[in-house]
Amino acid sequence: MTNQFNDTIFALSSGRPPAAIAVVRISGPRAGDALKALSGKIPAPRQAGLARVRDPQSGEIIDEALALWFPGPNSETGEDIAELQLHGGRAVIAAVLAALGRIEGLRPAEAGEFTRRAFEKGKLDLTAVEGLADLIGAETEAQRRQGYAQLKGLLGQRAETWRARLVQALALVEARIDFSDEGDVPEDLMGPALALVRGLRDEIGEALAGAARGERLREGLVVAIAGPPNAGKSTLLNRIARREAAIVSPTPGTTRDVIEVHLDLDGYPVTLLDTAGIRDSGDPVEQEGIRRARERTSNADLVLWLESAEHHHAQSRATELSAQFPGWTVRTKVDLLSVERRNELINEVKIKTSDIIHLSASTGLGMPEFLARLTEFARSYFGIESALLTRERHRNLLILAKTSLDRVLDECSQTGEEIVAEELRGAAQSLGRLTGRVDVEDILDVIFRDFCIGK
Ligand SMILES: Nc1nc2c(ncn2[C@@H]2O[C@H](COP(=O)(O)OP(=O)(O)OP(=O)(O)O)[C@@H](O)[C@H]2O)c(=O)[nH]1
Ligand SMILES: [Mg+2]
């Protein structure tokens, strides 16, 4: 991405046309000139004004719009921003973008460039930028909440206070180094420094403990449906998804590829996987399907092991296999059993264990109870509070910081103050990279690449 701040950039910031309204934003030193060129005037700051938008070359009216003017530095990007709310037709947008493109010093924005400017101007730290991306990408209520919390500084502010305390500890250690030759050194500077480090190490450790939860909330909790062929796996997936996502047939070995369905369970994101029935097979295509089934199942957060209630009694290979995939046992097709047998089964299960679920995906019997359990599982997995860490990037940097602090605490009695100071500087550096305060050029392109144009 180019980094020319003298350029004035513009883009369609609203969604795909045609739509009722299209928002075109212009940011940079020539934003005001551009607005004037198109509409003849600039409205009062932060107040909507009616604007007749003309092609500056031909003078022809393109559209009538609302214009907004946000002079820098108190704008989203920190630069002058002009915004036009046009009618959202393709030709209207094309004509306005073309007219802007012909103005000297203006060029189309690249993906995420508005936000990048906001970051470079110190309007947002890097964790807030990531929060913004998450907020835009959020599909469920819990994801929205987490994205918003991150945008508002949930992690950024914590990291900044951690860094401030680290700097305090570092100052104590450095004072000890500086005065060590003199007679009247305040002897115990290391004690308070180490106390600070210990507190920090524990807090960072706690944040790391919740990291998996935060990352999962972005990506979705993975629940895999596995079991022998014909157990009714695809039927269950379709029932939960409320559409024919997977092919169902009485022929065992129907499903080959892993089929993914994204669900919103009471605000929590869940990715449900349907997999190939596991059995010995000579067919190379089915073998590959089974290999994929095993792989995805072993990485899932929860496995639903399905068996037909009709023949679960036989001490089959299936029961052996189910032990390899810990999770819930689900007995399917209970509609095929006689009422007596069904009651018997349910009683039997109640006595032995409550871990077995009975349902019929064809008739819907037992489905509400099953879905309630799945929702409860998601709810208790994610908890109520937003997780502090939401990305692998956060986790890796905090692990680095914590490792340095661990070393300080483990080895401070043997090593000199210089080494302690060096470790503390390293930890502060990691926290600085987390918020983008220091030395992050190398990762910026990766982060902003995920943004859409106009954001
Ligand atoms: N009566 C009844 N039949 C069911 C039920 N669930 C599935 N079936 C039938 O069982 C057969 C197999 O269903 P699928 O959903 O394709 O089974 P699967 O486990 O995905 O099978 P593979 O993909 O081959 O591993 C189909 O004929 C379904 O209609 C159920 O709850 N009750
Ligand atoms: Mg199937």
Side-chain angles (χ1 to χ4, degrees), residues 230 232-235 246-249 253-256 259 274-277:
N230 244 2
K233 300 181 293 301
S234 302
T235 309
I247 300 171
V248 166
S249 100
T254 302
T255 305
R256 302 291 175 87
I259 294 167
D274 178 25
T275 62

Side-chain angles (χ1 to χ4, degrees), residues 79 99 138 172 186 188 192 207 254 259 287 291 345 354 390 392 449:
E79 307 174 323
L172 292 171
D188 204 19
T254 302
I259 294 167
Q287 278 172 359
R291 191 193 64 74
L345 244 175
S354 62
T390 55
E392 199 186 351
R449 197 179 51 202

Side-chain angles (χ1 to χ4, degrees), residues 294-335:
R294 286 178 175 279
E295 185 183 299
R296 297 295 292 276
T297 303
S298 58
N299 291 323
D301 300 302
L302 174 67
V303 177
L304 306 175
W305 182 265
L306 266 58
E307 284 167 326
S308 169
E310 290 173 298
H311 29 249
H312 86 274
H313 261 333
Q315 187 57 37
S316 61
R317 240 178 87 63
T319 1
E320 239 174 78
L321 270 170
S322 71
Q324 295 175 22
F325 300 100
W328 299 352
T329 300
V330 180
R331 299 224 171 110
T332 58
K333 310 190 190 182
V334 291
D335 58 297

Side-chain angles (χ1 to χ4, degrees), residues 23 26 34 69 77 81 100 158 165 168 178 184 213-214 266 273 282 313 324 373 401 410 419-420 440 451-452:
V23 176
I26 310 158
W69 172 241
T77 56
I81 294 183
L100 287 171
R158 270 306 270 295
R165 281 156 65 193
Q168 228 179 319
D178 290 348
D184 56 348
R213 187 161 59 91
D266 198 29
L273 307 178
H313 261 333
Q324 295 175 22
R373 242 177 110 159
D410 293 347
I419 293 178
V420 169
V440 283
F451 275 77
C452 39

Side-chain angles (χ1 to χ4, degrees), residues 172 175-176 179-180 182-190:
L172 292 171
R176 170 99 185 105
F179 295 116
S180 56
E182 297 169 24
D184 56 348
V185 200
E187 229 348 281
D188 204 19
L189 287 169
M190 285 307 271

Side-chain angles (χ1 to χ4, degrees), residues 2-254:
T2 46
N3 219 343
Q4 292 163 314
F5 281 103
N6 287 332
D7 288 357
T8 296
I9 53 171
F10 63 89
L12 172 69
S13 287
S14 55
R16 199 215 286 242
I21 293 169
V23 176
V24 169
R25 287 201 300 173
I26 310 158
S27 177
R30 298 221 58 208
D33 296 339
L35 187 58
K36 228 189 221 152
L38 260 68
S39 70
K41 57 178 191 282
I42 294 178
R46 295 172 294 280
Q47 283 181 29
L50 197 62
R52 195 160 285 167
V53 180
R54 289 174 193 272
D55 183 319
Q57 267 178 1
S58 65
E60 190 194 348
I61 296 175
I62 299 173
D63 191 15
E64 210 151 85
L66 277 185
L68 287 149
W69 172 241
F70 304 98
N74 297 320
S75 71
E76 200 192 322
T77 56
E79 307 174 323
D80 287 349
I81 294 183
E83 188 177 305
L84 285 171
Q85 300 184 4
L86 303 146
H87 291 107
R90 282 187 229 281
V92 174
I93 296 163
V96 170
L97 295 182
L100 287 171
R102 285 195 297 269
I103 298 174
E104 168 100 22
L106 263 68
R107 66 166 170 84
E110 292 174 39
E113 202 172 1
F114 288 91
T115 311
R116 185 160 182 166
R117 288 186 175 195
F119 167 71
E120 308 269 3
K121 288 261 160 66
K123 296 267 167 185
L124 296 173
D125 78 29
L126 213 47
T127 62
V129 166
E130 289 164 327
L132 180 57
D134 290 349
L135 188 63
I136 292 170
E139 287 180 354
T140 75
E141 198 44 24
Q143 288 175 322
R144 178 193 62 70
R145 227 174 280 133
Q146 175 163 286
Y148 184 75
Q150 211 64 290
L151 172 63
K152 288 290 141 194
L154 183 74
L155 174 57
Q157 282 159 19
R158 270 306 270 295
E160 275 304 297
T161 56
W162 283 336
R163 209 173 105 97
R165 281 156 65 193
L166 256 180
V167 170
Q168 228 179 319
L170 185 59
L172 292 171
V173 176
E174 279 171 346
R176 170 99 185 105
I177 297 170
D178 290 348
F179 295 116
S180 56
D181 303 337
E182 297 169 24
D184 56 348
V185 200
E187 229 348 281
D188 204 19
L189 287 169
M190 285 307 271
L194 292 178
L196 272 170
V197 170
R198 197 166 296 117
L200 273 171
R201 194 256 323 253
D202 293 349
E203 280 178 39
I204 292 175
E206 263 171 50
L208 278 166
R213 187 161 59 91
E215 288 172 47
R216 273 293 188 241
L217 191 52
R218 286 188 66 235
E219 294 151 14
L221 192 68
V222 179
V223 176
I225 304 177
N230 244 2
K233 300 181 293 301
S234 302
T235 309
L236 180 65
L237 178 94
N238 290 349
R239 178 105 199 174
I240 299 173
R242 296 206 199 92
R243 62 186 172 90
E244 302 299 305
I247 300 171
V248 166
S249 100
T251 318
T254 302

